[in-house]
Amino acid sequence: MKAVRLHEYGLRPRVEEVPEPEIRAPFDVVVRIGGAGLCRTDLHIVEGQWAEKSHVALPYTLGHENAGWVHAVGSAVEHVQPGDPVILHPLVTCGFCRACRAGDDVHCEASSFPGIDADGGMAGQLRTSARSVVKLAPGTAPASVAALADAGLTAYHAVKKALPLLYPGSTCVVMGAGGLGHLGVQCLRATSATRIIVLDPNEAALALTAGWGADETIVVDGRHVDRVLELTDGRGAEVVLDFVGEKGAERDSWNMTRRAGSDFVIGYGGTVDVPTIDVISTERNIVGNLVGTYNDLVELMALNAAGKVTMLTHTYELDAVNEAMDDLEAGRLRGRGILVPGS
Amino acid sequence: MKAVRLHEYGLRPRVEEVPEPEIRAPFDVVVRIGGAGLCRTDLHIVEGQWAEKSHVALPYTLGHENAGWVHAVGSAVEHVQPGDPVILHPLVTCGFCRACRAGDDVHCEASSFPGIDADGGMAGQLRTSARSVVKLAPGTAPASVAALADAGLTAYHAVKKALPLLYPGSTCVVMGAGGLGHLGVQCLRATSATRIIVLDPNEAALALTAGWGADETIVVDGRHVDRVLELTDGRGAEVVLDFVGEKGAERDSWNMTRRAGSDFVIGYGGTVDVPTIDVISTERNIVGNLVGTYNDLVELMALNAAGKVTMLTHTYELDAVNEAMDDLEAGRLRGRGILVPGS
Amino acid sequence: MKAVRLHEYGLRPRVEEVPEPEIRAPFDVVVRIGGAGLCRTDLHIVEGQWAEKSHVALPYTLGHENAGWVHAVGSAVEHVQPGDPVILHPLVTCGFCRACRAGDDVHCEASSFPGIDADGGMAGQLRTSARSVVKLAPGTAPASVAALADAGLTAYHAVKKALPLLYPGSTCVVMGAGGLGHLGVQCLRATSATRIIVLDPNEAALALTAGWGADETIVVDGRHVDRVLELTDGRGAEVVLDFVGEKGAERDSWNMTRRAGSDFVIGYGGTVDVPTIDVISTERNIVGNLVGTYNDLVELMALNAAGKVTMLTHTYELDAVNEAMDDLEAGRLRGRGILVPGS
Amino acid sequence: MKAVRLHEYGLRPRVEEVPEPEIRAPFDVVVRIGGAGLCRTDLHIVEGQWAEKSHVALPYTLGHENAGWVHAVGSAVEHVQPGDPVILHPLVTCGFCRACRAGDDVHCEASSFPGIDADGGMAGQLRTSARSVVKLAPGTAPASVAALADAGLTAYHAVKKALPLLYPGSTCVVMGAGGLGHLGVQCLRATSATRIIVLDPNEAALALTAGWGADETIVVDGRHVDRVLELTDGRGAEVVLDFVGEKGAERDSWNMTRRAGSDFVIGYGGTVDVPTIDVISTERNIVGNLVGTYNDLVELMALNAAGKVTMLTHTYELDAVNEAMDDLEAGRLRGRGILVPGS
């Protein structure tokens, strides 16, 4: 089968023939890929930014946002069968540690992450575990949802954690109207009646947000924090979802969070730098967020099947991976790039 | 001023002249009534069903769903002033007991309930407390929201308690598409992505529910419990909101609740009668629900101001109270009857 | 190996030789039994009360409260190895359904229950799953904790669910000072500062409860509900843990529950029979409780290892099972009977 | 009456005669002081560190940890009467804003803080509000609990927020064994079964902590973070309560917090400085904490009345305030200094 293989950091991956994965353990599942999302993290991997964290041995296959059809299953697998359309939870988890048993499988003590530290889904097939496959609703095309496996899951997980704080009459600031922010707004609109204020430097991106359910939009222009304070009687928002996490967004997010409110860090790159007296005198919280659980992904697929959370995608053939990467790097890509292996 | 006064149980109330209420305590507020909702409970009061519970001395003024404009305030009142449009939380609470301080003011240890155990709002004016007035958004007509003060608040409170159980992909059964159920569906739709199944014996009532946000409707015809089980893979719903609570609905509601699910009792009249082995072997819960808190009412007004929860109303002049009661008793009243005192 | 086999309902089980269980699936674990608790449920099984629910084929081996040492493991088991001392979660769960993934494995959609619907642990060995074994702290004798696997787990699970309601200054009524109540009081004392009031008809049982951490004891004598109301300013308790669930305890428990409080049903046999107007006018809840999760059992073992929750036990050799059953039936058994297979 | 008056920042306060406070509003309460706690914050006020925040007009009376007996009440006060022994919640709150109604009165939108921005309790009498007085259990001496009004309340509030995370088998690190840490350990022990590890540079302070309920103690010596990691299988603690918040404790606390864990900031002075990638890749939280609510104080008094949380105090006559301040500054004060006005 064909696969997008990274041979050396700093050089673009190559599409080449590799053997198909085989079932090796009783709960293994091999999935025929219907679509693999291309993400900015893939560019970072190619640049070598993840080398130290992932310790993956080169060459290996990229692709951490995957959906397709079950192709083969191990001897102990009972709840899916060949032909089932599925989306893949990004982690392969153990199922035995406290975190896995407590509904918090992202913190599994023995997980792997295909596409990051093992062969991923930019290929004809991918081997994963029975614990990681979520069946799709009849009629859902795998390629249309693949990118929800990571970007969508991350946005949904953060929104879900914030919901208990978002009573009608509250305000939620969404920092960033890009790939994640756009999903975050849809998730918020589907599951709450909070007032949604979206911030972004890009006016064109903001212009689209009313359609996703935003109530107010503010251009990031240096006066944006004051604008949010004006809209909230000088108090700030109960929740800020910071999908940027760098270049000053992390500081602005804190400053737009009201007393007793919570600043959800989702994007990254910058630094949280806050005097402890500010933390305690206002009793504000900084909340970490990491991908989402298997059950979160099932819930997100329910939202997608109901038409409440969707993604704009642009498909490429697997062979065109570098063209897709060029488009992503150059900012030419509207929506998510999805690589689709030929049949 | 004119007031709807009940002189004797079993006899209809009379509209007569009474003195206007005066400010007597530092936190008193006198409200000029813009609309007072007429509710089935008013009929029950007239019949004498509440005599033993309320211990109210006759004659007194009916009306427990009230909205209007602040007319006069006590010496210590600072957060509202004459002319402010307001809706009234149905209870007058103390503000000092643990319940009041814990956001659970419905369980205040020293409350009164105008229209039930004190003079109510079917009158030109009503005396309440500064703790009970919720300011309305600019442009909201008091008569359009008066009935949300009790019926709407009860529905919203139950929905709010149920929300943590209603993840995307879950099912919520709404038992009863009448005055409360109709509000419950709107509250659910505005604040969750759960699948909403509404049950009612009346097909015409069901026909309206799609507009409120229901996903499925089922006629109560003896096969309705089986229909819900079919729609839920034989398991039942995570939450049943039983707005009926009598005539078999209370039994059906329990039977439509899945393992580890919760049956919310909101309507009343019947009896919950369940073997303890059924309670424990399925770990189901029966959840009591009573009106809602002051903050709940503020949140409901935010939903109303955003156009997400509205009521169909039919206004009558105060003098026409008995005509309104006739219409309600005879089932001729579409929506809620609202009594509006002349200026 | 020897095993306690039930051949016919209504007749006592026989101790006889059966083949040792074998590893059949990749996550199977065979445990050499160190102790198997004898429980009133075993008597009910013998009498045939569970025949219709369990559908088990006779003959089979009793014993649903088990601890011992890992004897053999399937090919995919990594987190335990032969020789490890373990206690067994009573259910064998699938690990793939929403409930298993959400930390709610008691509601697994495909579980079995050794000792109830499959061969249990009153035997030299038992086959279970890698998902069901909890490693014991070094130095813990399996026989000393076996009965915590079910009775202890049930008590702990209910207490854990009640904890958010049990602030300092609150009252928790424990209905029943028997096997479960005794564990419930210890769990409450270890994890909360609530005032604990224990009720039981048996004064000798009550006399022991101060040592477990009870603050007050009340003899069930017909005036006991009034006594609880007197101790709670006429209001009742925030939480009632009803470990009895029959013979009037289920009615008394409801009547001792205060406004906005919760009545936890744990024991069974009787019927909850409450007018819906009482449910709603006081906003009380009836909470079902069923065994506990795997993580609950891990937590209970932490309490045991810290000396905070222990059990009085009386050991019998496996051959003496019918003597043990006689003692249990006749009320001669102080503490739990534990059957220990010879080496 | 005598009062400890601050006339100029940088100069010690003077004890002088001032008029007794009078009832001015219907819910005012004048309390005869039984004891006023002396706190490091009082030293900071004298130094002028709070001048910009409090905007208080000099001269004014110090003392923000107060207990005594009700002396006089306003016309609308019903739930306390002259002679009642009381402890004072440190804030005077409005009772009408969302925060006050939601059980979160520390975030009242219109509060004052006697001893900080209004006349405090180092005096014969203090005027406060009916909303701020908590009745003491019979037999409790006001002077023995005065310092729980602020230091104790802060520790209890943080512990209460952490409790849902502190299951049996979890670890809670308490950073700092001083005035707050000592109370935090007692609150943890009374309300949880978590393993408590206390850190402090002072070995003598650590030596006392076993009596309060600590399980492990570690000297802050540069290897202390590693020691905590060793005790937690390299993972860190589910919760760190940082009662120090400066001088590196704020950095160490974050580093001792495990994946998905929470770092509670309570002490202050330093800066939280964490890369957003560390926040998200481990999904850790930073939780602000500020004093506690009125209901928290009622609960803390229940713990005190039950003998579960107590304080070591050293009493001084009001005239000796500067001697007490000298002792506090010089580190000669064991336990809290309590100023007691003569009769």
Side-chain angles (χ1 to χ4, degrees):
Chain A
M1 67 175 188
K2 283 186 179 170
V4 175
R5 304 281 286 178
L6 181 68
H7 283 260
E8 191 177 337
Y9 292 118
L11 297 185
R12 279 293 179 78
R14 301 204 297 260
V15 179
E16 60 194 9
E17 280 293 320
V18 296
E20 295 184 348
E22 291 175 2
I23 297 293
R24 293 193 300 205
F27 283 111
D28 278 357
V29 173
V30 171
V31 173
R32 180 161 64 83
I33 295 298
L38 174 68
C39 162
R40 205 160 286 274
T41 293
D42 294 307
L43 300 180
H44 296 160
I45 291 171
V46 172
E47 293 161 6
Q49 290 187 22
W50 284 73
E52 259 185 56
K53 278 178 195 278
S54 73
H55 301 292
V56 71
L58 301 187
Y60 87 115
T61 305
L62 297 177
H64 59 278
E65 299 188 330
N66 307 303
W69 299 268
V70 173
H71 177 71
V73 300
S75 60
V77 176
E78 294 185 355
H79 70 304
V80 290
Q81 48 189 323
D84 286 345
V86 290
I87 186 169
L88 302 196
H89 187 265
L91 297 179
V92 175
T93 58
C94 78
F96 293 103
C97 66
R98 179 177 174 95
C100 277
R101 292 175 183 276
D104 197 23
D105 42 14
V106 170
H107 296 287
C108 172
E109 294 172 10
S111 63
S112 71
F113 201 153
I116 304 288
D117 60 17
D119 282 337
M122 294 184 183
Q125 296 180 9
L126 166 72
R127 181 177 50 233
T128 182
S129 145
R131 282 188 55 78
S132 302
V133 291
V134 175
K135 273 201 237 188
L136 294 173
T140 302
S144 73
V145 294
L148 293 176
D150 189 47
L153 183 57
T154 299
Y156 177 67
H157 179 66
V159 166
K160 186 179 178 185
K161 285 167 63 176
L163 284 180
L165 307 170
L166 295 174
Y167 59 88
S170 66
T171 297
C172 183
V173 165
V174 173
M175 192 69 173
L180 263 76
H182 137 245
L183 293 161
V185 173
Q186 291 180 74
C187 292
L188 280 170
R189 189 69 304 142
T191 59
S192 84
T194 193
R195 177 171 59 157
I196 304 171
I197 304 179
V198 187
L199 279 74
D200 200 278
N202 183 329
E203 295 198 36
L206 288 176
L208 295 170
T209 61
W212 312 333
D215 296 291
E216 307 273 353
T217 57
I218 296 176
V219 180
V220 172
D221 62 0
R223 290 163 305 175
H224 50 284
V225 173
D226 288 340
R227 289 279 292 118
V228 168
L229 295 178
E230 282 162 25
L231 287 169
T232 53
D233 295 330
R235 298 196 177 105
E238 279 76 5
V239 169
V240 176
L241 299 176
D242 178 7
F243 289 107
V244 180
E246 60 176 348
K247 298 178 182 163
E250 70 278 34
R251 183 196 57 233
D252 293 347
S253 293
W254 176 255
N255 289 334
M256 293 183 292
T257 306
R258 65 173 285 159
R259 284 178 74 83
S262 293
D263 173 15
F264 282 64
V265 181
I266 309 158
Y268 61 91
T271 296
V272 170
D273 186 345
V274 185
T276 48
I277 192 165
D278 286 358
V279 176
I280 67 113
S281 63
T282 59
E283 205 168 16
R284 279 177 286 180
N285 308 300
I286 296 166
V287 179
N289 293 279
L290 179 59
V291 206
T293 71
Y294 179 96
N295 282 345
D296 287 342
L297 185 55
V298 175
E299 295 171 18
L300 180 60
M301 289 300 104
L303 289 175
N304 176 262
K308 295 183 179 181
V309 177
T310 57
M311 272 193 114
L312 185 62
T313 58
H314 187 86
T315 59
Y316 297 83
E317 294 201 6
L318 203 61
D319 288 325
V321 60
N322 284 311
E323 179 193 331
M325 285 190 165
D326 289 345
D327 289 350
L328 177 60
E329 268 189 330
R332 282 191 298 268
L333 192 48
R334 272 287 308 287
R336 278 270 167 162
I338 306 293
L339 298 173
V340 178
S343 54
Chain B
M1 66 178 188
K2 282 183 180 173
V4 176
R5 305 281 287 178
L6 182 67
H7 284 260
E8 189 177 338
Y9 292 118
L11 297 184
R12 279 291 180 78
R14 300 204 298 259
V15 179
E16 58 193 9
E17 281 292 321
V18 296
E20 294 184 349
E22 292 175 2
I23 297 293
R24 293 194 300 206
F27 283 111
D28 278 357
V29 173
V30 171
V31 173
R32 180 162 63 84
I33 295 297
L38 174 67
C39 162
R40 205 161 287 274
T41 293
D42 293 308
L43 300 180
H44 296 160
I45 291 171
V46 171
E47 292 160 6
Q49 291 187 22
W50 283 74
E52 258 185 56
K53 279 177 196 278
S54 73
H55 299 294
V56 71
L58 300 186
Y60 88 116
T61 306
L62 296 178
H64 59 280
E65 300 186 330
N66 305 305
W69 299 268
V70 172
H71 177 72
V73 300
S75 59
V77 176
E78 294 185 357
H79 70 303
V80 289
Q81 47 190 322
D84 286 345
V86 291
I87 186 169
L88 303 196
H89 187 266
L91 297 179
V92 175
T93 58
C94 79
F96 293 103
C97 66
R98 178 177 175 95
C100 277
R101 292 176 183 273
D104 197 24
D105 43 12
V106 169
H107 296 287
C108 171
E109 294 173 9
S111 63
S112 72
F113 201 153
I116 304 289
D117 59 18
D119 282 337
M122 294 183 182
Q125 297 179 8
L126 167 71
R127 181 176 50 233
T128 181
S129 146
R131 283 188 54 78
S132 302
V133 291
V134 175
K135 272 200 236 186
L136 294 173
T140 301
S144 74
V145 294
L148 294 175
D150 189 48
L153 183 57
T154 299
Y156 177 68
H157 179 65
V159 166
K160 185 179 177 185
K161 285 168 62 175
L163 284 181
L165 308 170
L166 294 175
Y167 59 88
S170 67
T171 297
C172 183
V173 165
V174 172
M175 193 68 173
L180 264 75
H182 137 247
L183 292 161
V185 173
Q186 291 181 74
C187 292
L188 280 170
R189 188 68 305 140
T191 58
S192 84
T194 194
R195 178 172 58 158
I196 304 171
I197 304 179
V198 187
L199 279 75
D200 200 278
N202 183 329
E203 297 199 35
L206 288 176
L208 295 170
T209 62
W212 313 332
D215 296 290
E216 308 272 352
T217 57
I218 296 176
V219 179
V220 172
D221 62 0
R223 291 163 305 177
H224 51 284
V225 173
D226 289 340
R227 290 277 293 119
V228 168
L229 294 178
E230 282 162 25
L231 286 171
T232 53
D233 295 329
R235 297 196 178 107
E238 278 78 4
V239 169
V240 177
L241 298 176
D242 178 7
F243 289 107
V244 180
E246 61 175 347
K247 297 178 182 162
E250 70 279 33
R251 183 196 58 235
D252 293 346
S253 293
W254 176 254
N255 290 334
M256 293 185 291
T257 306
R258 65 172 286 160
R259 284 177 73 83
S262 292
D263 173 16
F264 283 63
V265 181
I266 308 159
Y268 61 92
T271 296
V272 169
D273 185 346
V274 185
T276 48
I277 191 163
D278 287 357
V279 176
I280 67 113
S281 64
T282 59
E283 205 168 13
R284 278 177 287 181
N285 308 301
I286 296 165
V287 179
N289 294 277
L290 178 59
V291 206
T293 70
Y294 180 96
N295 281 345
D296 288 343
L297 186 55
V298 176
E299 296 172 18
L300 180 60
M301 287 302 103
L303 289 175
N304 176 261
K308 296 183 178 182
V309 177
T310 56
M311 272 195 114
L312 185 62
T313 57
H314 187 86
T315 59
Y316 297 83
E317 295 200 3
L318 202 63
D319 287 325
V321 59
N322 284 311
E323 180 193 331
M325 285 189 165
D326 289 344
D327 289 350
L328 177 61
E329 267 189 331
R332 281 192 298 267
L333 192 49
R334 272 288 306 287
R336 277 270 167 163
I338 306 293
L339 298 173
V340 178
S343 53
Chain C
M1 67 177 188
K2 282 184 180 172
V4 175
R5 305 281 286 178
L6 181 67
H7 284 261
E8 192 178 337
Y9 293 118
L11 296 184
R12 279 291 179 78
R14 300 204 298 259
V15 180
E16 59 194 10
E17 280 292 322
V18 297
E20 294 184 349
E22 291 175 2
I23 297 293
R24 293 194 300 206
F27 283 111
D28 277 358
V29 172
V30 171
V31 172
R32 180 162 64 84
I33 296 297
L38 175 67
C39 162
R40 205 161 288 273
T41 293
D42 294 306
L43 300 179
H44 296 159
I45 292 170
V46 171
E47 292 160 6
Q49 290 187 21
W50 284 74
E52 259 185 57
K53 279 178 195 278
S54 74
H55 300 293
V56 71
L58 301 187
Y60 89 116
T61 305
L62 297 178
H64 59 278
E65 300 187 331
N66 306 305
W69 299 268
V70 173
H71 177 71
V73 300
S75 60
V77 176
E78 295 185 355
H79 70 303
V80 289
Q81 47 188 324
D84 285 345
V86 290
I87 186 168
L88 303 195
H89 187 265
L91 297 179
V92 175
T93 58
C94 79
F96 294 102
C97 66
R98 179 178 173 95
C100 277
R101 292 175 184 275
D104 197 25
D105 43 13
V106 169
H107 297 286
C108 172
E109 294 173 9
S111 64
S112 71
F113 202 153
I116 304 288
D117 60 18
D119 283 337
M122 293 183 183
Q125 296 179 9
L126 167 71
R127 182 176 51 234
T128 182
S129 146
R131 282 188 55 79
S132 302
V133 291
V134 175
K135 273 202 236 185
L136 294 173
T140 301
S144 74
V145 294
L148 294 175
D150 190 49
L153 183 57
T154 300
Y156 177 68
H157 179 65
V159 166
K160 186 179 176 184
K161 285 168 61 176
L163 284 181
L165 307 169
L166 294 175
Y167 59 88
S170 67
T171 297
C172 182
V173 165
V174 173
M175 193 68 173
L180 264 76
H182 136 247
L183 292 161
V185 173
Q186 291 181 74
C187 292
L188 281 170
R189 188 68 306 140
T191 59
S192 84
T194 193
R195 177 171 59 158
I196 305 170
I197 304 179
V198 188
L199 279 75
D200 200 279
N202 182 330
E203 296 199 35
L206 288 176
L208 295 170
T209 61
W212 312 333
D215 296 292
E216 307 273 352
T217 57
I218 295 176
V219 180
V220 172
D221 62 0
R223 291 164 305 175
H224 50 283
V225 172
D226 288 340
R227 288 277 293 119
V228 167
L229 294 178
E230 281 163 26
L231 286 170
T232 54
D233 295 329
R235 298 195 177 107
E238 278 78 5
V239 170
V240 176
L241 299 175
D242 178 8
F243 290 106
V244 179
E246 61 175 347
K247 297 177 182 163
E250 70 278 33
R251 183 196 59 234
D252 293 346
S253 293
W254 176 254
N255 289 333
M256 293 183 293
T257 305
R258 66 173 285 159
R259 282 178 76 83
S262 293
D263 172 15
F264 283 64
V265 181
I266 309 159
Y268 59 93
T271 296
V272 169
D273 186 345
V274 184
T276 48
I277 191 165
D278 286 357
V279 176
I280 66 112
S281 64
T282 59
E283 206 168 13
R284 278 177 286 180
N285 308 301
I286 296 167
V287 179
N289 293 278
L290 179 59
V291 205
T293 71
Y294 179 95
N295 281 345
D296 287 342
L297 186 55
V298 176
E299 295 171 18
L300 180 60
M301 288 301 104
L303 289 175
N304 176 260
K308 295 182 178 182
V309 177
T310 57
M311 271 193 115
L312 185 62
T313 58
H314 187 85
T315 59
Y316 296 83
E317 294 200 3
L318 203 62
D319 288 325
V321 60
N322 283 311
E323 181 193 331
M325 285 190 164
D326 289 344
D327 289 350
L328 178 60
E329 268 189 329
R332 280 192 298 267
L333 193 48
R334 272 288 306 287
R336 276 272 168 161
I338 307 292
L339 298 173
V340 178
S343 53
Chain D
M1 66 177 188
K2 283 185 181 171
V4 174
R5 305 280 287 177
L6 182 67
H7 283 261
E8 190 178 338
Y9 291 118
L11 297 184
R12 279 292 179 78
R14 300 204 298 260
V15 179
E16 58 194 10
E17 279 294 319
V18 297
E20 296 185 348
E22 290 175 4
I23 297 294
R24 293 193 299 206
F27 283 111
D28 277 357
V29 173
V30 171
V31 173
R32 180 162 63 84
I33 295 297
L38 174 67
C39 163
R40 205 161 287 274
T41 292
D42 294 307
L43 300 179
H44 297 160
I45 291 171
V46 172
E47 292 161 6
Q49 291 187 19
W50 283 73
E52 259 185 56
K53 279 177 195 278
S54 73
H55 299 293
V56 71
L58 301 187
Y60 87 116
T61 305
L62 297 178
H64 59 278
E65 301 186 329
N66 307 305
W69 299 268
V70 173
H71 176 72
V73 301
S75 60
V77 176
E78 295 185 355
H79 69 303
V80 288
Q81 48 188 322
D84 285 344
V86 290
I87 186 169
L88 302 196
H89 187 266
L91 297 179
V92 175
T93 58
C94 79
F96 293 102
C97 67
R98 180 179 173 95
C100 277
R101 291 175 184 275
D104 198 22
D105 42 14
V106 169
H107 296 286
C108 172
E109 294 173 9
S111 63
S112 70
F113 200 153
I116 304 289
D117 59 18
D119 283 336
M122 293 185 184
Q125 297 180 10
L126 167 73
R127 181 176 52 232
T128 182
S129 144
R131 282 188 55 77
S132 302
V133 291
V134 175
K135 273 201 236 186
L136 294 173
T140 301
S144 74
V145 294
L148 293 175
D150 188 49
L153 182 57
T154 299
Y156 177 68
H157 180 66
V159 166
K160 186 178 177 185
K161 285 168 62 176
L163 284 181
L165 308 170
L166 294 175
Y167 59 88
S170 66
T171 296
C172 183
V173 165
V174 173
M175 194 68 173
L180 264 75
H182 137 245
L183 292 161
V185 173
Q186 292 180 73
C187 292
L188 281 170
R189 188 70 303 143
T191 59
S192 84
T194 193
R195 177 172 59 157
I196 305 170
I197 304 180
V198 187
L199 279 75
D200 200 279
N202 183 330
E203 295 199 37
L206 288 176
L208 295 170
T209 62
W212 311 333
D215 296 292
E216 308 273 353
T217 57
I218 296 176
V219 179
V220 172
D221 62 0
R223 290 163 304 175
H224 51 283
V225 173
D226 289 340
R227 291 278 293 121
V228 167
L229 294 178
E230 282 162 25
L231 286 170
T232 54
D233 295 329
R235 298 195 177 105
E238 279 76 6
V239 170
V240 176
L241 299 176
D242 178 7
F243 289 107
V244 179
E246 60 175 349
K247 298 179 182 162
E250 70 278 34
R251 183 196 57 233
D252 294 346
S253 293
W254 176 255
N255 290 333
M256 293 184 292
T257 306
R258 66 173 286 160
R259 283 177 75 83
S262 294
D263 173 15
F264 283 63
V265 181
I266 309 158
Y268 60 93
T271 296
V272 170
D273 185 346
V274 185
T276 48
I277 191 163
D278 286 357
V279 176
I280 67 112
S281 64
T282 58
E283 206 169 14
R284 279 176 286 179
N285 309 301
I286 296 166
V287 179
N289 293 278
L290 179 58
V291 205
T293 70
Y294 180 95
N295 281 344
D296 288 343
L297 185 55
V298 175
E299 296 172 17
L300 180 60
M301 288 301 103
L303 290 175
N304 175 261
K308 295 183 179 182
V309 177
T310 57
M311 273 194 115
L312 185 62
T313 58
H314 186 85
T315 58
Y316 296 84
E317 294 201 4
L318 202 62
D319 288 325
V321 59
N322 283 311
E323 179 192 332
M325 286 190 165
D326 289 343
D327 289 350
L328 178 60
E329 269 189 330
R332 280 192 298 268
L333 192 49
R334 273 287 307 288
R336 278 271 167 163
I338 305 293
L339 297 174
V340 178
S343 53

